[in-house]
Amino acid sequence: IVQGTYETFVAAAKQHFNGDPSGRWVLTGGLGGMGGAQPLAATMAGFSMIAVECDETRIDFRLKTRYVDKKATSLDEALEMLEIAKAEGKPVSIGLLGNAADLFTELVERGITPDIVTDQTSAHDPINGYLPSGWTMAEWIEKRTSDPASIEKASRKSMAKHVQAMLDLQKMGSATFDYGNNIRQMALEEGVENAFDFPG
């Protein structure tokens, strides 16, 4: 998984940045299962990365296994870490605690354009794999058994917001692509008509 993801980022560097990823960064979501390979693959390919993850235990696990370099609890903190790494001339990977739909949208609102935008949240599983915007982890875990239908509804709405932010970042100049988690289809079904405007 690390190798495949690494090769994807190397190909993106060749396609969009003349093969030179130095000083550039990737925005993504998801550090579970397969998504956990992303930060290591990015730094191996020469990119810095902010990987948004809602479950702090996953960030801590990736820190422990050295798949991610640093943890941040706010966007400002993560952006500062990026700037330091850029000044030092070496890539850094940052696990940013938060909700991807919210933080991707915040970057749009602040006019901050990542070099690459992708996503590897478990959007293929709207009940167990995707935390809806505005929900706490505790609420999400509890509702999985008591009211899974409410999670699915909220998750799909959140995915639409998430994909809209990815489309907005693409318009702002980010090289944007889906990494095969079905999030574009979910957003399309929620009314984002141009959800497939960025490639897989």
Side-chain angles (χ1 to χ4, degrees), residues 19-76:
D20 183 12
S22 53
R24 299 188 181 276
W25 66 285
V26 180
L27 171 70
T28 191
L31 287 176
M34 290 176 67
Q38 294 181 105
L40 180 58
T43 55
M44 282 170 59
F47 287 100
S48 287
M49 170 174 277
I50 293 178
V52 181
E53 171 56 58
C54 60
D55 183 344
E56 193 165 8
T57 64
R58 286 180 173 172
I59 299 174
D60 291 341
F61 178 71
R62 301 302 174 192
L63 278 168
K64 192 170 77 175
T65 55
R66 298 172 66 191
Y67 269 54
V68 71
D69 299 320
K70 294 179 183 294
K71 175 166 74 172
T73 54
S74 73
L75 183 55
D76 284 329

Side-chain angles (χ1 to χ4, degrees), residues 7 10 18 28 58 94 103 114 146 156 166 168 175 180 182 199:
E7 288 176 7
V10 168
N18 297 315
T28 191
R58 286 180 173 172
I94 303 151
L103 287 162
S146 69
R156 285 173 168 274
M166 292 176 76
D168 292 342
N182 209 35

Side-chain angles (χ1 to χ4, degrees), residues 31-185:
L31 287 176
M34 290 176 67
Q38 294 181 105
L40 180 58
T43 55
M44 282 170 59
F47 287 100
S48 287
M49 170 174 277
I50 293 178
V52 181
E53 171 56 58
C54 60
D55 183 344
E56 193 165 8
T57 64
R58 286 180 173 172
I59 299 174
D60 291 341
F61 178 71
R62 301 302 174 192
L63 278 168
K64 192 170 77 175
T65 55
R66 298 172 66 191
Y67 269 54
V68 71
D69 299 320
K70 294 179 183 294
K71 175 166 74 172
T73 54
S74 73
L75 183 55
D76 284 329
E77 185 185 6
L79 292 168
E80 190 179 337
M81 289 174 179
L82 274 187
E83 284 305 311
I84 291 166
K86 192 173 179 179
E88 291 174 352
K90 61 179 189 181
V92 68
S93 59
I94 303 151
L96 172 57
L97 182 63
N99 186 292
D102 296 336
L103 287 162
F104 281 40
T105 301
E106 187 179 340
L107 284 162
V108 173
E109 288 165 353
R110 290 168 63 165
I112 297 167
T113 309
D115 296 290
I116 291 177
V117 175
T118 186
D119 178 62
Q120 220 169 327
T121 56
S122 298
H124 59 277
D125 182 355
I127 294 170
N128 300 299
Y130 192 94
L131 175 70
S133 177
W135 287 40
T136 64
M137 287 289 293
E139 182 183 12
W140 181 41
I141 291 162
E142 189 273 316
K143 289 271 177 72
R144 279 186 203 166
T145 46
S146 69
D147 190 3
S150 72
I151 298 178
E152 179 159 10
K153 187 178 176 187
S155 283
R156 285 173 168 274
K157 188 177 173 188
S158 192
M159 286 180 207
K161 174 182 174 182
H162 187 156
V163 168
Q164 186 58 60
M166 292 176 76
L167 290 162
D168 292 342
L169 289 165
Q170 183 185 37
K171 276 190 197 141
M172 288 160 61
S174 299
T176 304
F177 56 89
D178 175 345
Y179 205 77
N181 63 357
N182 209 35
I183 198 165
R184 293 176 299 170
Q185 183 62 37

